[in-house]
Amino acid sequence: MSKRRRKVLPQEPVRCEIETLGHDGRGIARAEGKVQFVDGALPGETVMAKMVSTRSKFDELRTLEVLEAAPDRQQPPCEFADLCGGCSLQHMSADAQIRFKEDTLREHFAHFGGIEPQEWIEPMRSPATLGYRRKARLGVRYVKARESVLVGFREKRNSFLTDIDRCVVLDPRIGDRIKPLRELLHGMVAFDRIAQVEVACGDDVAAMVFRNMDELVPEDREKLIAFGQAHDLHIYLQPKGPDTVHRIWPESSGRDGERLSYSLDEFDLTMKYHPMDFTQVNAGINQNMVHRAVEWLDVQPGERVLDLFCGLGNFTLPLARKGGRVVGVEGDDAMVVRGRENAQLNGLDNVEFFGADLHGDFTGQSWAKEGFDKILIDPPRSGAEDICKYLTAFGASRIVYVSCNPATLARDAGVMVRNGYRLVRAGVMDMFPHTTHVESIALFERE
């Protein structure tokens, strides 16, 4: 049987009249009734674009030249923006990016939940749109044909790594060191055996976690240590699974020695975490997001509060500062431990952390039997459809839902409304400037 032949793509640029924008940030045009998705194009623009893929119902293209620019177009702040898949909206002004995210949330509420909040709040803007990103995974690949090592993010719409020297979106402690990191890896014996580099930045310390597929020779370990010393970075190795991550510079001094930290100044809190733990990538937005969530819940002394998907206590401990009795619940046992560590570190005894399967009915758990006056929920991208069906059993007067996926928020909001709550207010938070990622927050009150 012969292999299926790929269609030969037209080599000549195609003229596209951009009508609107898709949820993935690509411009949408039409040619002879067929939809065209055009990377790097904005509504109202006329562009010349190169065909990169064709299907029966749509074509995919990449902008080569802008013939008529939209008012919302700006010069991308990064020289690699056209190719790198780390960001997809750098050619769009900050105001237009916010409008795009607001429109995305509105459309999802209408489409998936069939509802609309009583009040749309002003969008929460990021204090910084460059140098804000504190967490990332950098790909590493040795290219034999070039005899060089690439470090960076994948190119748009394919698995190749973008050849970059720096990243203006990453925290400068990492983003300004891409080129020396690449040179470091190229000079190692294990130049082709480092799979990726996880990066994490706290308020005072930045860390790199090198995924080494083979045990490193002493010479390579010394080069990594010297790199950490020269650039004031903590250096970790991960020879196998996540539980094998360990610090080699500075030398670890017990469990607490492998912690980064960030502060929530409004609540006089210091939050410690391991570089591989989940934390919010944008410290400025996180400060404002926690403030808004606590403000909306309006916890009073003596009230019982539930924080679902609580992680290391990012919302749990600020809520506890308000004087209520707070229960944080998390599916990851390691994060339950981290939450307890942070409660002890900050001298809070009115908070408890529990591990539980958050995919079904947990109303019978010992920590749930007394009910709750207020609830905060911050689920993963898959949302919490099943959980929302059981929340009414607690009798909470208010529920704040923090979301990283507008589609699942809208779907879950529909469940909440059908189960006796009204959607009072909602809005977007620009956690990831220059990307199509939509972070949002919603307040529900019991009917």
Side-chain angles (χ1 to χ4, degrees):
M1 185 180 292
S2 62
K3 290 185 178 180
R4 195 178 194 180
R5 291 185 179 179
R6 289 187 177 182
K7 292 184 178 180
V8 177
L9 298 175
Q11 296 302 304
E12 290 297 316
V14 178
R15 183 185 178 95
C16 302
E17 307 282 344
I18 309 301
E19 301 172 4
T20 185
L21 210 59
H23 289 160
D24 62 358
R26 290 185 292 180
I28 297 178
R30 286 174 175 79
E32 299 178 356
K34 194 175 183 182
V35 174
Q36 299 172 312
F37 294 106
V38 188
D39 263 321
L42 299 177
E45 292 187 331
T46 301
V47 304
M48 298 301 293
K50 177 183 179 181
M51 188 87 70
V52 295
S53 174
T54 182
R55 311 281 180 86
S56 59
K57 295 183 179 180
F58 62 88
D59 295 328
E60 295 180 302
L61 304 96
R62 179 168 57 86
T63 298
L64 297 177
E65 180 185 2
V66 179
L67 302 179
E68 295 180 26
D72 291 329
R73 178 170 287 278
Q74 68 171 13
Q75 180 66 30
C78 174
E79 61 185 295
F80 310 105
D82 289 342
L83 189 60
C84 180
C87 302
S88 55
L89 298 181
Q90 285 199 15
H91 59 292
M92 183 186 294
S93 70
D95 287 345
Q97 289 184 34
I98 291 290
R99 291 197 305 272
F100 164 74
K101 295 179 182 186
E102 285 188 303
D103 289 345
T104 299
L105 182 60
R106 289 174 187 269
E107 290 168 11
H108 279 98
F109 269 131
H111 180 72
F112 290 100
I115 55 177
E116 185 172 347
Q118 295 174 357
E119 175 190 359
W120 287 102
I121 63 168
E122 282 293 314
M124 186 184 295
R125 293 176 179 266
S126 177
T129 61
L130 298 177
Y132 70 85
R133 185 163 184 168
R134 288 190 168 194
K135 290 275 287 183
R137 175 179 294 171
L138 295 170
V140 179
R141 186 167 299 171
Y142 173 69
V143 182
K144 189 174 183 179
R146 296 172 49 175
E147 295 186 347
S148 63
V149 174
L150 300 184
V151 178
F153 300 103
R154 289 182 179 179
E155 294 181 357
K156 293 178 180 177
R157 317 294 168 193
N158 67 53
S159 60
F160 299 118
L161 286 187
T162 313
D163 188 7
I164 63 175
D165 294 324
R166 61 191 295 262
C167 175
V168 299
V169 169
L170 283 176
D171 184 303
R173 291 172 289 180
I174 301 296
D176 288 348
R177 292 176 168 84
I178 302 295
K179 184 177 180 179
L181 172 61
R182 189 178 66 206
E183 293 170 348
L184 162 73
L185 293 170
H186 184 75
M188 291 172 59
V189 174
F191 62 88
D192 60 347
R193 301 299 292 165
I194 303 295
Q196 63 191 34
V197 180
E198 298 268 359
V199 297
C201 302
D203 287 350
D204 302 318
V205 174
M208 288 185 174
V209 182
F210 292 80
R211 173 68 178 96
N212 54 303
M213 294 186 286
D214 300 324
E215 184 176 352
L216 298 183
V217 299
E219 179 187 351
D220 280 352
R221 287 178 63 93
E222 290 305 314
K223 286 183 177 180
L224 288 173
I225 290 171
F227 183 80
Q229 292 171 329
H231 297 284
D232 196 22
L233 297 168
H234 286 194
I235 304 297
Y236 292 72
L237 293 180
Q238 182 188 345
K240 293 183 180 178
D243 58 340
T244 66
V245 173
H246 62 284
R247 197 173 76 190
I248 62 171
W249 175 259
E251 292 185 6
S252 294
S253 54
R255 183 185 65 191
D256 291 340
E258 294 194 349
R259 297 288 186 266
L260 306 179
S261 68
Y262 65 90
S263 297
L264 294 172
D265 296 332
E266 179 183 351
F267 304 96
D268 190 26
L269 292 169
T270 297
M271 310 296 291
K272 289 194 173 183
Y273 63 98
H274 189 274
M276 299 296 282
D277 289 344
F278 170 82
T279 55
Q280 300 292 350
V281 305
N282 189 324
I285 279 286
N286 187 54
Q287 297 266 0
N288 297 333
M289 177 177 68
V290 172
H291 168 86
R292 177 167 289 174
V294 172
E295 179 183 56
W296 282 9
L297 278 183
D298 190 26
V299 175
Q300 301 300 311
E303 288 187 328
R304 278 176 56 81
V305 184
L306 175 63
D307 181 9
L308 292 171
F309 303 95
C310 65
L312 52 81
N314 187 56
F315 293 104
T316 327
L317 301 191
L319 289 167
R321 282 282 195 235
K322 291 299 181 180
R325 298 292 305 180
V326 186
V327 173
V329 184
E330 172 59 51
D332 183 343
D333 290 340
M335 297 302 277
V336 174
V337 172
R338 207 79 74 242
R340 291 170 180 166
E341 290 175 0
N342 281 314
Q344 182 177 10
L345 172 69
N346 290 282
L348 288 165
D349 59 7
N350 60 328
V351 58
E352 295 179 281
F353 288 88
F354 297 93
D357 179 3
L358 295 178
H359 294 92
D361 184 2
F362 49 78
T363 55
Q365 297 286 332
S366 59
W367 48 262
K369 291 182 177 178
E370 294 181 41
F372 297 96
D373 301 291
K374 309 283 174 63
I375 297 174
L376 186 139
I377 180 169
D378 182 13
R381 287 190 60 81
S382 56
E385 184 176 16
D386 291 337
I387 288 177
C388 289
K389 298 174 184 176
Y390 302 114
L391 291 184
T392 53
F394 296 127
S397 60
R398 287 188 177 186
I399 298 175
V400 168
Y401 191 130
V402 177
S403 169
C404 59
N405 185 345
T408 52
L409 168 60
R411 178 201 65 199
D412 295 350
V415 174
M416 303 270 282
V417 169
R418 290 192 295 273
N419 282 274
Y421 283 85
R422 65 180 183 274
L423 178 55
V424 177
R425 59 178 75 111
V428 300
M429 303 178 291
D430 199 13
M431 182 71 74
F432 289 82
H434 305 302
T435 77
T436 58
H437 181 102
V438 181
E439 194 92 5
S440 51
I441 187 170
L443 171 65
F444 298 85
E445 290 184 354
R446 193 173 180 86
E447 292 283 7

